[in-house]
Amino acid sequence: MAVPKPTTMVLRRRTRAPKRYSEDEDGWGCDDVYCVRCGSGDFGSKLLLCDKCDKGYHLFCLRPILVSVPKGYWFCPSCTNIKQPQLFPLVQTKIVDFFRIRRSSESMENQSNIKKRKRTCSLAVSKRKRKLLAYNPTEDPQRRLEQMASLATALKASGTEYSDGLTYRPGMALRSANCAALEKGGMQILPKEDIETLNLCKKMMEKGECPPLMVVFDPVEGFTVQADRYIKDLTIITEYVGDVDYLKNRENDDGDSMMTLLHASNPSKSLVICPDKRSNIARFVNGINNFSPDGRKKQNVKCVRYDVNGECRVLLIANRDIRKGERLYYDYNGYEHEYPTEHFV
């Protein structure tokens, strides 16, 4: 028997999403069922009935919205008594343990020196060669704790363990299956200098020098990410991570935020990233509304798949300068053009 879902989370499936719907495709009447938010019984295939009170809600009328019909039991906001997420304690030892931060003052100092040298080099040649840049952490240690606590709050609320790399679990795809050479049409190779920049970002995160980002809870969009300081164009925001599995195993999965990792010529070898169990801040970066000119203007991050030493990796990269306080958005339909974003704000 399915376990009731305690909260209504924003579902963001990014591969093989359902096609856009129309009023005529439902095939069943809704004369006696209507949405308590908008009062309409239209779009029956997008009308959820609460398993406790039998009241109806359109997926797109819920706040935060739902993109797909969840499997198993579903309970409306009134019956679940949804509240603001519980804040993660702003305690250094708890944050260090949650993110498994390596404690070494000497290594931190050495890494800081490397970081400064790398960033100076990158800035000097970025206009000519368009190299990727390492993110610039906030200098204030207390503010970094607040940034990490905001991410821990979102991860705990969604029942997700922190991870900053792709994970290969028993019963899913093996690491050997992640072969960039299988990509249909070929995959863009990440240059050596950019690989060094990516590795630098990973090392900074290991030391507790997180990206200058805050995760905030919005009543309409759910958890979302905003810049906590100025971020320069072409800065690596983060890597999209989670459990790696075959697409064929997940085609009927309603797990949120799945991302294409490998689009193979042989569909049986295609891979997806599943961040529902293990993930990082990438899971909470929201998508633009592809059907609205204003929505498309909000995009300030691009999602790019790279061949990194023969393996597929997915990076979120700033595609323009991002000012402090600006929320981060990217195009969920950058590859498949199948994700239903027409109701995104």
Side-chain angles (χ1 to χ4, degrees):
M1 180 178 295
V3 178
K5 296 186 177 182
T7 59
T8 302
M9 305 300 294
V10 180
L11 301 184
R12 298 194 285 271
R13 183 182 176 121
R14 296 170 199 156
T15 180
R16 301 296 186 270
K19 297 179 180 179
R20 295 188 66 191
Y21 55 86
S22 64
E23 293 185 15
D24 297 325
E25 73 177 41
D26 296 325
W28 58 282
C30 296
D31 295 338
D32 56 344
V33 180
Y34 62 92
C35 173
V36 300
R37 291 281 171 85
C38 70
S40 171
D42 295 337
F43 303 107
S45 64
K46 301 295 177 180
L47 194 58
L48 283 174
L49 292 181
C50 176
D51 285 299
K52 183 174 182 181
C53 68
D54 283 336
K55 291 181 179 178
Y57 292 82
H58 283 123
L59 297 175
F60 47 83
C61 288
L62 289 166
R63 294 294 181 268
I65 70 169
L66 286 174
V67 172
S68 60
V69 177
K71 295 180 180 179
Y73 293 115
W74 177 81
F75 299 95
C76 70
S78 298
C79 292
T80 53
N81 191 26
I82 296 176
K83 299 179 181 179
Q84 286 286 334
Q86 183 177 356
L87 298 179
F88 192 87
L90 192 59
V91 179
Q92 184 174 6
T93 54
K94 291 183 179 295
I95 292 174
V96 167
D97 291 341
F98 185 86
F99 290 99
R100 299 184 291 279
I101 296 172
R102 296 182 182 178
R103 314 181 207 196
S104 172
S105 58
E106 181 178 353
S107 297
M108 285 278 281
E109 184 178 352
N110 292 338
Q111 184 61 47
S112 179
N113 292 334
I114 295 173
K115 175 184 62 179
K116 291 177 182 177
R117 291 197 298 271
K118 177 65 180 178
R119 208 162 29 234
T120 301
C121 176
S122 297
L123 288 173
V125 299
S126 60
K127 289 186 178 180
R128 180 167 56 89
K129 295 186 177 181
R130 302 291 289 173
K131 298 298 183 183
L132 298 183
L133 306 176
Y135 63 78
N136 192 8
T138 301
E139 290 86 357
D140 182 6
Q142 181 63 27
R143 188 57 177 174
R144 289 204 303 268
L145 285 178
E146 294 172 3
Q147 293 165 356
M148 300 185 82
S150 73
L151 173 56
T153 295
L155 291 171
K156 292 280 285 185
S158 58
T160 308
E161 177 185 337
Y162 171 73
S163 174
D164 200 38
L166 297 176
T167 47
Y168 300 88
R169 310 292 295 180
M172 298 186 187
L174 298 175
R175 183 165 185 171
S176 59
N178 184 1
C179 179
L182 300 177
E183 174 73 13
K184 184 177 182 180
M187 183 174 289
Q188 180 178 354
I189 297 176
L190 191 66
K192 181 180 178 180
E193 286 188 47
D194 290 341
I195 293 177
E196 292 175 356
T197 302
L198 174 60
N199 291 337
L200 173 61
C201 293
K202 295 289 186 178
K203 291 176 181 178
M204 285 194 291
M205 190 64 199
E206 289 176 0
K207 306 300 182 183
E209 295 184 341
C210 60
L213 305 168
M214 293 288 288
V215 184
V216 297
F217 185 79
D218 184 281
V220 175
E221 296 184 85
F223 286 111
T224 186
V225 179
Q226 66 184 34
D228 204 35
R229 72 179 303 173
Y230 170 80
I231 299 175
K232 188 175 177 61
D233 183 20
L234 289 180
T235 295
I236 296 177
I237 302 297
T238 188
E239 179 181 2
Y240 203 95
V241 302
D243 295 338
V244 178
D245 200 1
Y246 289 104
L247 172 62
K248 61 185 179 183
N249 296 340
R250 299 282 182 153
E251 287 185 321
N252 297 317
D253 194 333
D254 68 348
D256 67 335
S257 304
M258 281 200 298
M259 170 71 76
T260 298
L261 177 63
L262 171 63
H263 182 54
S265 299
N266 182 347
S268 67
K269 296 184 178 181
S270 293
L271 301 175
V272 291
I273 303 172
C274 309
D276 54 322
K277 301 297 183 184
R278 280 156 286 275
S279 190
N280 61 7
I281 201 167
R283 176 177 179 177
F284 304 107
V285 179
N286 281 333
I288 62 170
N289 185 327
N290 296 91
F291 303 91
S292 162
D294 290 336
R296 290 191 291 270
K297 290 178 182 178
K298 292 164 68 174
Q299 182 175 355
N300 49 21
V301 174
K302 60 182 178 181
C303 174
V304 188
R305 290 186 293 140
Y306 286 107
D307 175 341
V308 181
N309 296 326
E311 293 186 340
C312 307
R313 306 275 286 274
V314 181
L315 303 184
L316 299 186
I317 302 167
N319 67 349
R320 61 172 172 81
D321 293 345
I322 304 174
R323 66 182 184 276
K324 180 179 179 180
E326 188 177 350
R327 291 187 177 179
L328 272 56
Y329 294 93
Y330 70 99
D331 186 358
Y332 286 1
N333 289 316
Y335 291 104
E336 287 88 3
H337 303 286
E338 296 176 339
Y339 195 78
T341 63
E342 59 263 47
H343 298 294
F344 284 16
V345 296

